[in-house]
Amino acid sequence: MNAPMPTTHDDLRDLHDLPSYPKERDDYINPARALLTGPPISPLRFAGGSTGWLVTGYHEAREVLRDARFSAERWRGDDAMRPVPEPVRRDRSSGAGSFLAMDAPAHGHYRGQLTRYFTVRRMRELEARIEDIVADQLDALEAAGKPADLVRHFALPIPSLVICEMLGVPYEERELFQSVAARLLRQDRTDAEFVAGKTELDTFLRTLVEAKRKDPKDDLISLLTAVDELDDEEIGGIAGLLLIAGHETTTNMLSLGTFALLRDPEQLERLRADESLLPQAVEELLRYLSIVNAFPVRIALEDVVVGGVTVTAGQSVAVSVPAANRDPALVDDPDTLDVGRPRSSHLAFGYGIHQCLGQHLARIELVAGYRGLLRRFPGLRLAVPPEEVRMRSDMVIYGAHELPVTW
């Protein structure tokens, strides 16, 4: 990562042995050291074999994410951790309604249909129901007996129940979308597995949307069926995006955040002694852990200078959120977890027009989840040595596959 940096596309082509994006984290939680020791923008070999750029600097990351000269359309370039599926490249789309990989104005068209349902006020109206769900899962965790898997009995069910109720997806169908999400988010999944998983989820959601049109309820999918500008395929695409994003990210923040706190007794005791620190502790955990590994990736639509480097039109740029959130330009002593740290302008939810739509909901779930654990299980601790916790180094969303705990 410290080799002299080329500034043109031709120079990049001439380089040999460019680094790939490191998939493994250091000490379970910290970003790979290679991400933290190089320059803010440096050459990278992408998963499909192309050459492009890796951005690890905080200010450079914000610059790329807010600049309309960088496209979010995946088919235009290459991904850092796994090749872009050929069906996506061939169809020049990630699917109808999947606005995460769209540019303006299409992105604004779809996101605009949802913004009013994800306001701070609307999310706060859900707080009481979220508290009830957390209480039920605390009971389930205790009933599982010691030791128990915190992921299975607590971290996974909470956001799954919340997003299912919000969208109007029957919770008894959760194994289907959880299984599909796990397959689609694997770093080594094949194009055939991508097509099979996406087809399975699309079919399920299309059937659900058709049922909502015939018999609408008080849920988000039903409300979207009343929008004349959206057809069933688009609504299914939006629902699929929200369904996967709505449970995978928060699940792993709940479990990985708990893991981080259990390995840092001083910070854990600060929270036990003063629950008022929880909102800022959540922001600090989001910054410190940054569970979305290499994403987002942007493709230059024209030559753009970033951090003194010329990114040539057509080149892919991977923004390392974990590295950008550990940049001293963002906070002092960034490698230290400090639950009392004032809220920072971290990039855990992204930046620019693609900033996470459900960030207010995630914050409410995380505060409620951590608070519930602190209150119910004052003796909560790992049931196995840290090195025996199976981490999600094989997944795009980082976390723990299982987290055995006792109390």
Side-chain angles (χ1 to χ4, degrees), residues 125-277:
E125 290 172 356
L126 295 175
E127 281 192 61
R129 177 57 186 142
I130 291 171
E131 293 281 359
D132 289 342
I133 289 172
V134 168
D136 289 343
Q137 293 313 131
L138 289 166
D139 291 342
L141 181 63
E142 188 166 20
K146 299 183 284 188
D149 178 10
L150 186 127
V151 175
R152 177 184 175 188
H153 298 292
F154 185 76
L156 179 57
I158 291 171
S160 295
L161 275 161
V162 171
I163 198 64
C164 279
E165 289 190 8
M166 226 182 136
L167 290 174
V169 176
Y171 185 61
E172 57 268 22
E173 304 286 352
R174 65 191 180 279
E175 289 187 7
L176 183 147
F177 69 77
Q178 289 171 356
S179 171
V180 170
R183 282 178 276 153
L184 291 178
L185 293 173
R186 271 190 14 237
Q187 292 182 24
D188 62 350
R189 59 108 175 90
T190 65
D191 283 354
E193 290 170 328
F194 168 80
V195 171
K198 190 171 184 308
T199 299
E200 185 177 3
L201 184 62
D202 288 348
T203 301
F204 166 71
L205 290 171
R206 188 163 52 249
T207 301
L208 182 61
V209 172
E210 290 171 357
K212 298 289 184 181
R213 282 200 185 277
K214 295 175 182 176
D215 185 20
K217 306 293 185 184
D218 185 22
D219 57 64
L220 185 51
I221 294 179
S222 293
L223 293 171
L224 291 176
T225 62
V227 178
D228 293 336
E229 293 90 345
L230 298 175
D231 62 28
D232 286 7
E233 186 179 6
E234 291 171 313
I235 296 171
I238 292 170
L241 175 62
L242 296 178
L243 193 60
I244 292 178
H247 85 274
E248 272 285 340
T249 50
T250 308
T251 289
N252 288 291
M253 268 306 304
L254 279 171
S255 55
L256 193 62
T258 302
F259 186 34
L261 290 170
L262 291 178
R263 295 182 66 233
D264 195 332
E266 180 181 346
Q267 297 302 308
L268 180 60
E269 287 310 309
R270 287 181 70 188
L271 283 180
R272 290 195 193 284
D274 185 1
E275 282 190 6
S276 69
L277 292 176

Side-chain angles (χ1 to χ4, degrees), residues 310-358:
T310 299
V311 179
T312 304
Q315 286 184 330
S316 297
V317 179
V319 175
S320 175
V321 172
N325 278 342
R326 294 292 188 96
D327 189 339
L330 173 61
V331 296
D332 294 331
D333 195 15
D335 291 333
T336 297
L337 176 64
D338 178 1
V339 297
R341 191 190 300 273
R343 179 171 173 172
S344 64
S345 299
H346 61 74
L347 302 180
F349 290 117
Y351 190 68
I353 66 170
H354 289 89
Q355 192 171 41
C356 177
L357 183 67

Side-chain angles (χ1 to χ4, degrees), residues 58-117:
Y58 173 73
H59 292 300
E60 291 78 7
R62 282 167 57 106
E63 184 179 345
V64 170
L65 295 178
R66 71 185 174 199
D67 193 330
R69 293 175 295 176
F70 287 100
S71 172
E73 294 179 334
R74 298 174 64 199
W75 57 267
R76 294 179 181 270
D78 200 358
D79 279 355
M81 303 188 72
R82 58 186 183 181
V84 173
E86 280 306 312
V88 170
R89 199 180 301 284
R90 183 180 61 246
D91 299 337
R92 296 191 168 197
S93 170
S94 292
S98 186
F99 56 90
L100 187 64
M102 291 181 181
D103 297 334
H107 171 270
H109 168 69
Y110 289 115
R111 185 172 177 126
Q113 306 294 339
L114 297 168
T115 303
R116 62 184 177 275
Y117 302 116

